[in-house]
């Protein structure tokens, strides 16, 4: 196994461990965060705040390195505008997250602890990914 693959595996495992330790593999935490006028649970705000603070502090210094440790170059998006597809995808992601209480990272980490919600969510997520791939391949890339 290559060093970049091992590094990706280690990073994914660390991310999954962090999600599990913070309770973010439990969709009720997310749904509790979204329930502003009911049984509100602010835990997700602290997890998101930690992620935003880490990114805010380290993004620029990491980019100043010139290149990643295990790759030839950084792979950053060149997109500089907001279009219908981006907004539609974000809305669909948010609606799904609000209904299920899961997004891909916690769902995959939930598989590791055999969460019953993850056992139905992940196949549905993979089916949606396959459907998107088939639709965009049939239509071709959009300008």
């Amino acid at each position: 196994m290559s060093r970049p693959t091992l590094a990706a595996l280690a990073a994914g495992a660390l991310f999954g461990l962090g999600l599990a330790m913070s309770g973010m593999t439990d969709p009720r935490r997310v749904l509790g965060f979204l329930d502003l006028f009911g049984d509100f649970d602010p835990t997700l705000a602290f997890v998101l705040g930690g992620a935003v603070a880490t990114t805010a502090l380290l993004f620029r210094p990491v980019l100043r390195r010139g290149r990643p440790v295990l790759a030839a170059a950084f792979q950053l998006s060149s997109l500089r505008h907001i279009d219908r597809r981006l907004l539609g995808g974000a809305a669909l992601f948010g609606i799904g997250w609000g209904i299920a209480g899961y997004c891909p990272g916690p769902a995959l980490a939930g598989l590791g602890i055999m969460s019953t919600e993850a056992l139905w969510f992940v196949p549905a997520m993979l089916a949606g990914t396959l459907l998107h791939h088939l639709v965009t391949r049939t239509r071709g890339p959009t300008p």
Side-chain angles (χ1 to χ4, degrees):
M1 193 176 296
S2 69
R3 286 178 55 189
T5 302
L6 283 173
L9 184 62
L14 181 62
F15 180 68
L17 180 65
L19 289 172
M21 288 178 64
S22 65
M24 292 301 114
T25 56
D26 181 358
R28 291 176 296 244
R29 292 256 188 197
V30 173
L31 297 174
F33 176 74
L34 298 173
D35 189 3
L36 297 177
F37 302 107
D39 192 19
F40 179 70
D41 181 356
T43 309
L44 180 59
F46 294 109
V47 173
L48 291 173
V52 168
T54 302
T55 301
L57 289 171
L58 298 177
F59 191 74
R60 295 273 183 223
V62 166
L63 287 181
R64 274 192 236 118
R65 291 182 52 90
R67 67 182 275 281
V69 175
L70 298 175
F74 287 107
Q75 295 181 12
L76 302 174
S77 176
S78 62
L79 297 177
R80 299 290 180 251
H81 64 282
I82 297 173
D83 61 7
R84 271 191 336 217
R85 287 186 59 170
L86 177 64
L87 291 174
L92 188 59
F93 179 92
I95 290 167
W97 194 31
I99 290 171
Y102 264 142
C103 65
L108 292 174
L111 281 181
I113 60 169
M114 297 304 291
S115 162
T116 54
E117 291 95 349
L119 290 173
W120 63 262
F121 181 87
V122 171
M125 176 182 74
L126 294 174
T129 301
L130 177 62
L131 178 63
H132 174 266
H133 176 72
L134 292 173
V135 168
T136 55
R137 186 176 66 174
T138 304
R139 280 191 197 159
T142 46

